[in-house]
Amino acid sequence: MDRWILSYDGYDPDAEGLREALCTLGNGYFATRGAAPESSADGVHYPGTYIAGCYDRLPVEMDGLQADNADLVNMPNWLPLAFRPAGGDWFDPDRAHREGRLLSYRQELDLRRGVLTRLVRVRDTRGRTSRVAQRRIVSMDDPHLAALETTIVAEDWSGPIEILSAVDGRVVNAGVERYRNLPQKHLDHEKSLRPSDPELLLLRSTTTSSRIGVAVAARTRVSLPAERTHHAEAGWTGQNLTTDIREGEPVTIEKIAAVFTSRDRAIEEPAQAALAAAACAGGFDALLERHTLAWSRLWRRCQLSVDHIDVQRVLNLHIFHLLQTVSEHSVDLDVGVPARGLHGEAYRGHVFWDELFILPFLTMRFPEIARALLMYRWRRLPEARRAASRAGHRGAMYPWQSAADGREETQRVHLNPRSGRWLPDHSHLQRHVGLTIAHNVWRYYEATGDTGFLAEYGTEIMLEIARFFADLAAYDRSTDRYGIHGVMGPDEYHDAYPERDTPGLDDNAYTNVLTVWVLRRALDALTALPEDRRAELRERLALTREEITRFEDVARKMYVPFHDGVISQFDGYADLAELDWARYRERYGDIRRLDRILEAEGDSTNRYKASKQADVLMLFYVLSPGELDDILRELGYEHGPALAARTIDYYLPRTCDGSTLSSLVHAWILAHTDGETAWRIFLESLFSDITDAQQGTTPEGVHLGAMAGTVDLVQRCHAGITTRGGTLNVAPRLPSAIGELRLGLRYRGHWGIDLTCRQDLIRVALRPGTTSPIRIRYGDEDVEIHPGTSWESPLQHGRSPQTPTGL
Ligand code: BGC
């Protein structure tokens, strides 16, 4: 086992979708699934190429309801490359597999270098054996380029061989079974133009309604003299190359693709840009060299190692996919981070609250990417303000699902595949997404000290979100408390009271408590601004003294429901029925999608104390115990470790982890009290994509929140890092399965902080070349470390000074 290699031996049509998703190559600008180059979407294969931020909207009718859906568009496929001995059949792994002619098949994804290799031995129907080695990259050096190199060796034959190289724009968005009956065609194509350079192909397309121009150019070269014939049809352009192959002598075909859109900077027109880039690009080896160098720079910034090779390999895979979705190449693109990466079409490429789990890792490695993701939200403030105003509120109401312009993209009905019924979807009521955004702004500021961002953008986002929640909160004179009604918490299995006609719940504890935190931090952010900027912003936002008083009042008098000595998920939760968990487990085995099971039985999760995912327990994930206790104390409620322990014990067995984010959160919060269980759940979370634990969801796109979240868990929870008050706090809590954890971090402008944690030791070193010393806090010790020096201390178990949660 190698910590940098993900490999598959043998061909397995049933596993192809999963392999395609996990072998996706990308660079933050675009990504292409690891589909076989000779394949098209046929139920086994699903070639998909997605360009960050390129959405298109189509009108749809769902269950008689007129709506529209914005999809991350499946772009023209640059991969197509097929071969056959002239007069024979095109190489087709599925047919060869069925007919026993696929002699060997291996795929290898090299995570360190970002190279996908495929090695095939195949015999054709006339008994001729060929060996094929294919290498593929999507350049991390030049975000517009991708390359495919194919080397064919005729083992026992000689003669003419025909190669087909094409760009296929006839693709549609059909990657998710559940959406298949909805409109899928997002591209219009121009009549295909034949570039003057015979090596080149060009396809020019436009997205149907968003009118984004897309150009894909491809240059194909063969290592032997070849005859070419061009073909074009609507949405497709290709060329056949015929050459003579001699037994045992390799022939190499090199295809370099260039992808541009009309959203790109520093171009005049995408087709011309794509042609120029494809024509001028170096050969495969030259591109590979620069690509590898770019990846080695990224890996240097991502240093995170544990002496547990299985775990390390998956952590590397997760970092790899994260950086293929958002990278330095996405910084300028004005894009958010799609929950399922650029790896498939699940959730239509929409952006949810998952950046909560993604930003912390980026912030301590690539703060510029974290900042860019926050800027995606800042630019959509006007739309969020309009949404709030349409709902009759002040401030900014961010959408639960976001795409191009920040309008609410959540579908209003969804299909339960188990019952075949379309059901109302109220998940847009997850107003807590706005709290996440404000929270992320503050955590980013704490970890980077980026006062410029806070002054120019961050405080405005926080104040507008705080304003929305302060306005949403309703005052009850009889209790002298504020409450927030008609919303949903993170748990999507509760969207209404069983007996009520209108959707939404009252006083979701997570929403209410986080509102208090956000109101306070928004005011802290305002206070942190230089006086003139503060005055400017208050004037611009018309933020009056009365409104600030309202913020303070809501933060002091928010209601938090309790029952049975624990925090209630929402008001009235106590009245719900207990689910007969054993019966459902026995009957169905996997009950993660309990919502679908119950609905198919004519029942509803709304009736039960059964959650899809961590909801109340999210409080212990996003806030440190100190922060949570402060809030509860000041609101006049019980707080402290005993309440935390009871609340955790209460909800864990009542949650079925229907979201991959859930086990991640549970693993985090248990790390402080029950290391063994925490490690077991962490492993479940870690392996959920690589094993497609949710049975069929990963082929539709990876779960980026869980991917980044598991890496972050090792970084912040196991190493125990918090970044409050201008000090880097460390309080390691290594699971017993890990002997040593090493991290290279970036904190407030300090580039090279090396942290080593062992079961018995902690060491922090500051690389030479950093200009100023760094202050760290370990237990009661405040330590200053100077560039080029290090500090270490024995680690005593149980002595860990603060319980580390939250950044
Ligand atoms: C979860 C959400 C999450 C979304 C996208 C859903 O299944 O319930 O919390 O944001 O997936 O990852």
Side-chain angles (χ1 to χ4, degrees), residues 677-725:
T677 311
W679 180 250
R680 183 179 52 73
I681 302 179
F682 167 72
L683 293 181
E684 272 168 31
S685 182
L686 188 74
F687 287 95
S688 61
D689 266 321
I690 199 170
T691 62
D692 189 20
Q694 288 194 341
Q695 297 166 18
T697 62
T698 305
E700 300 171 346
V702 297
H703 299 81
L704 214 60
M707 280 194 160
T710 44
V711 180
D712 179 46
L713 189 148
V714 173
Q715 170 171 293
R716 288 193 299 142
C717 181
H718 291 162
I721 293 174
T722 51
T723 53
R724 302 231 165 73

Side-chain angles (χ1 to χ4, degrees), residues 339 347 352-354 400 492 612-613 659 661:
Y347 294 134
F352 293 64
W353 70 325
D354 302 41
W400 172 237
E492 299 191 327
K612 176 182 183 185
Q613 64 202 100
S659 158
L661 300 172

